[in-house]
Amino acid sequence: MQELIKDSIMKHLANPSNIDVPLEALDDSAVIDDIVFTTDSHTVQPLFFPGGDIGSLSVCGTVNDISVMGAQPIALSLGFIIEEGFSIEDLDKILESIGKMSTEAGVPVVTGDTKVVEKGALQQLVTNTSGIGKRTELLDNNIFEVQRHREFNEKWLKDSNLRPGDKIIVSGYIGDHGIALLSFREGYGFESEVQSDIWPLNKMIALALKGGGVVAMKDPTRGGLANTLHEWAGKSKFGIKIDEDKIPIREGVQSACEMLGIDALNIGNEGKVVIGVVKEKAEDVLKIIKTTNEGKFAEIIGEVREDMTGVAMVTSVGGLRLVDAPAGDPVPRIC
Amino acid sequence: MQELIKDSIMKHLANPSNIDVPLEALDDSAVIDDIVFTTDSHTVQPLFFPGGDIGSLSVCGTVNDISVMGAQPIALSLGFIIEEGFSIEDLDKILESIGKMSTEAGVPVVTGDTKVVEKGALQQLVTNTSGIGKRTELLDNNIFEVQRHREFNEKWLKDSNLRPGDKIIVSGYIGDHGIALLSFREGYGFESEVQSDIWPLNKMIALALKGGGVVAMKDPTRGGLANTLHEWAGKSKFGIKIDEDKIPIREGVQSACEMLGIDALNIGNEGKVVIGVVKEKAEDVLKIIKTTNEGKFAEIIGEVREDMTGVAMVTSVGGLRLVDAPAGDPVPRIC
């Protein structure tokens, strides 16, 4: 269905050529007139879960989608669609967590809209958060640093920017959000050790840019790390090779994945970023990220390669495994 | 419920003071760093109705909300939440009408998001459209013209800008959207003569600004003309007096309202704008608007008054009727 939708959308909504990062790029955000602009609807179920709720998810998802383009998020919009009779106490809790995350990120909600629909027309509540961001000197300086090491003619940190030799950093444990949600929903019991990683990454990302040499960033949400790497490999037209032993995975997530027969690489995250950096700066950027709470378990997990296409992983036992592009996320209504 | 939500939202999401038009203003759009930003979720039922569908509604609502601030809309986002099994043909029709209206307005959809939820979790499909707009020389020149006639220290066309003497223009027939929808839904039969007025107003609004002297604009959607005038009167702290004989109402809408016992002033419109203009320029602006197809039935319907508060109407028989602030829109799921 997603494929059909994508075809249908692209057929009718082709963008004019003056747009820096158009709809067709299917990147984390669009860029027009140096304004970074993104949108996300949230249908997560249940609304409250270990480590977060639909409110924190709404704020962080959008803050992160803007930040990974290399921009500074400056404002959010918030749309609610609410089923009649929804608990005002729960709504208040959701708004409280929106307020908290917005304050944490330093990005205000400046405009909103609320629609109430009759009972039965919607399961509880869904949200939409859009956001805008702007170019900063930090991004300009980061790009200048990239250009000291290799040719680079881009203004934004797009999915298509990776080149052979670039190193790939993951900012911390993967799979936490999806496993926390799935386990809580199904009662598997892993949620005692695994909580969602929902967090606004704009401050950590600003530090990474200060390090310099960053060519691309992406938050590995639906479809997880595997999806991010495939988007990058496909749009950049080079292969990516990663090292299984380097990928930070929490023990509880690993056990849950083994028990459930799902691949942690395919599971959505909400507080992680994957960073492509010129090789000369990879260790510097890693070191800076590791000074932050949200990035203390960051690792360099691989690199971009000219001698292959797609995504491959050197396994713990030394073999080479092809990493498939996930068809979707194994956990439904994850965000 | 709307009141409770508003209180709850304001409590948690107070805006910092550096925002030109903050959340608290509850205006059509917010303004931050000279970027105009707005959002609307759409839950209209049925999805297709005489004169439009949820697609055209999504585009026009957002284009108009940006335009009435005096800005030029430059880009839209589009979020879909779709019930599993929703007809791809219908989705394609909706996207086609989004494409058409986006082309008509000259405002591209640059970013989007699609979530599919399981059957029964949502009735068919809802959308969210956010949009951004920018300041233009047209707005600066319009404000300069206002300043030739009276004191005016505002950068944007806000709800609070009205002052005694300002004239009120309505750009055409009111109530069409609500009556078309209600009649079609309930099978009253008025829809043969009344169609929704959904239309992007940015081009007509640009012409009005060219005329000069515009101090405020608002699209009278939910709660209709009465709601718009009450918002203006309340935020500007002056009264508004209108003339019943001057208000453009289509005969079919008038009959429908009489039959159904609802007030056309309270019914939502999707292709109309209410314009506050300094009195010296009101006739000029009216004349310009009347040259357009979307504004050919425009009229000056009243003025801002110092000697009263709230909204009052001189009736056809010469009496004075207080116009109540509508509690909501008499037609549910109108947009």
Side-chain angles (χ1 to χ4, degrees), chain A residues 1-2 4-5 8-9 11-16 19 21-24 27-33 35 37-43 45 74-86 88 91-93 95-96 98-100 102-103 108-118 120-123 126-134 222 333 335, chain B residues 1-2 4-5 8-9 11-16 19 21-24 27-30 32-33 35-43 45 74-86 88 91-93 95-96 98-100 102-103 108-118 120-123 126-134 222 333 335:
Chain A
M1 182 147 187
Q2 293 280 0
L4 278 168
I5 293 166
S8 198
I9 289 174
K11 186 173 69 189
H12 294 297
L13 307 181
N15 274 191
I19 298 175
V21 183
L23 185 65
E24 289 86 339
D27 215 311
D28 300 279
S29 299
V31 185
I32 178 166
D33 282 3
I35 303 167
F37 185 28
T38 193
T39 194
D40 255 315
S41 295
H42 296 284
T43 61
Q45 276 290 332
I74 60 169
L76 303 175
S77 71
L78 180 61
F80 277 117
I81 306 177
I82 306 176
E83 185 185 20
E84 209 165 27
F86 184 75
I88 290 287
L91 184 63
D92 197 64
K93 268 192 246 167
L95 281 160
E96 188 183 346
I98 288 173
K100 271 187 189 162
S102 157
T103 303
V109 174
V110 297
T111 188
D113 177 60
T114 307
K115 295 282 190 303
V116 179
V117 296
E118 68 276 17
L122 172 75
Q123 188 182 2
V126 295
T127 68
N128 175 283
T129 332
S130 301
I132 53 177
K134 63 178 186 184
R222 275 194 287 184
R333 297 190 74 164
C335 61
Chain B
M1 183 145 186
Q2 292 280 0
L4 277 167
I5 293 167
S8 198
I9 289 174
K11 186 173 71 191
H12 294 297
L13 307 180
N15 275 189
I19 297 175
V21 182
L23 186 65
E24 290 86 340
D27 215 311
D28 301 279
S29 299
I32 179 166
D33 283 3
I35 302 167
V36 177
F37 184 28
T38 193
T39 194
D40 256 314
S41 295
H42 296 284
T43 61
Q45 276 290 334
I74 61 169
L76 303 174
S77 72
L78 179 61
F80 276 116
I81 306 176
I82 305 175
E83 185 185 20
E84 210 166 25
F86 184 75
I88 290 286
L91 184 63
D92 197 63
K93 268 192 248 169
L95 281 160
E96 189 185 344
I98 289 173
K100 271 187 191 163
S102 156
T103 302
V109 174
V110 298
T111 188
D113 177 60
T114 307
K115 296 281 192 303
V116 179
V117 296
E118 68 278 16
L122 171 76
Q123 187 182 1
V126 295
T127 68
N128 176 284
T129 331
S130 300
I132 53 176
K134 64 177 183 183
R222 275 196 286 186
R333 297 191 74 166
C335 59

Side-chain angles (χ1 to χ4, degrees), chain B residues 147-187:
Chain B
Q147 289 167 337
R148 285 187 53 216
H149 301 285
R150 70 164 172 85
E151 209 188 318
F152 190 81
N153 297 315
E154 300 296 337
K155 284 182 65 186
W156 300 96
L157 305 184
K158 299 189 296 184
D159 291 342
S160 54
N161 289 354
L162 283 296
R163 292 297 174 268
D166 291 343
K167 296 289 181 184
I168 310 289
I169 295 173
V170 168
S171 68
Y173 290 126
I174 63 162
D176 291 7
H177 176 69
I179 291 299
L181 201 70
L182 185 65
S183 179
F184 180 63
R185 207 151 60 187
E186 308 295 335

Side-chain angles (χ1 to χ4, degrees), chain A residues 6-311:
Chain A
K6 202 188 281 180
D7 292 348
S8 198
I9 289 174
M10 291 309 157
K11 186 173 69 189
H12 294 297
L13 307 181
N15 274 191
S17 58
N18 65 330
I19 298 175
D20 276 351
V21 183
L23 185 65
E24 289 86 339
L26 293 172
D27 215 311
D28 300 279
S29 299
V31 185
I32 178 166
D33 282 3
D34 264 7
I35 303 167
V36 177
F37 185 28
T38 193
T39 194
D40 255 315
S41 295
H42 296 284
T43 61
V44 69
Q45 276 290 332
L47 301 178
F48 301 91
F49 47 84
D53 58 41
I54 193 169
S56 54
L57 187 67
S58 299
V59 171
C60 297
T62 299
V63 163
N64 295 345
D65 274 345
I66 293 171
S67 305
V68 295
M69 298 302 291
Q72 178 194 346
I74 60 169
L76 303 175
S77 71
L78 180 61
F80 277 117
I81 306 177
I82 306 176
E83 185 185 20
E84 209 165 27
F86 184 75
S87 145
I88 290 287
E89 289 69 37
D90 282 350
L91 184 63
D92 197 64
K93 268 192 246 167
I94 291 166
L95 281 160
E96 188 183 346
S97 94
I98 288 173
K100 271 187 189 162
M101 281 297 165
S102 157
T103 303
E104 174 64 40
V107 187
V109 174
V110 297
T111 188
D113 177 60
T114 307
K115 295 282 190 303
V116 179
V117 296
E118 68 276 17
K119 230 176 153 52
L122 172 75
Q123 188 182 2
Q124 298 187 304
L125 171 151
V126 295
T127 68
N128 175 283
T129 332
S130 301
I132 53 177
K134 63 178 186 184
R135 197 169 186 86
T136 63
E137 212 181 325
L138 219 49
L139 177 58
D140 289 333
N141 291 344
N142 169 76
I143 288 176
F144 183 71
E145 183 63 32
V146 174
Q147 289 166 338
R148 286 187 52 219
H149 301 286
R150 71 163 171 85
E151 208 189 319
F152 191 80
N153 297 314
E154 299 296 337
K155 285 181 66 185
W156 300 96
L157 306 183
K158 297 189 296 183
D159 291 342
S160 53
N161 289 354
L162 284 297
R163 292 295 175 270
D166 290 343
K167 296 289 182 184
I168 310 289
I169 295 173
V170 168
S171 68
Y173 291 125
I174 63 163
D176 290 8
H177 175 70
I179 291 299
L181 202 70
L182 185 66
S183 180
F184 181 61
R185 208 151 60 187
E186 309 294 336
Y188 295 135
F190 295 105
E191 66 273 17
S192 56
E193 21 174 348
V194 184
Q195 297 224 323
S196 169
D197 59 346
I198 294 178
W199 200 253
L201 300 173
N202 53 326
K203 290 175 182 174
M204 183 184 73
I205 285 173
L207 280 178
L209 292 178
K210 219 166 173 177
V214 176
V215 300
M217 287 194 281
K218 199 171 188 72
D219 52 336
T221 53
R222 275 194 287 184
L225 181 60
N227 184 57
T228 290
L229 298 178
H230 270 281
E231 291 270 319
W232 278 5
K235 294 181 191 172
S236 295
K237 300 188 169 64
F238 291 102
I240 294 177
K241 196 184 219 170
I242 57 175
D243 190 341
E244 184 167 28
D245 283 343
K246 291 289 184 186
I247 300 171
I249 304 187
R250 212 177 281 279
E251 211 171 297
V253 170
Q254 192 64 55
S255 324
C257 284
E258 280 163 18
M259 192 191 100
L260 302 169
I262 53 184
D263 190 338
L265 296 184
N266 297 350
I267 299 175
N269 310 274
E270 293 292 341
K272 295 299 169 337
V273 59
V274 190
I275 309 176
V277 197
V278 293
K279 60 180 181 298
E280 296 83 354
K281 297 293 293 181
E283 287 294 342
D284 291 357
V285 170
L286 180 68
K287 201 183 286 176
I288 289 180
I289 289 175
K290 277 179 162 296
T291 65
T292 67
N293 194 48
E294 51 272 46
K296 63 186 170 208
F297 300 113
E299 291 290 348
I300 297 173
I301 61 161
E303 62 180 15
V304 182
R305 307 274 295 212
E306 197 160 18
D307 58 356
M308 53 173 280
T309 57
V311 182

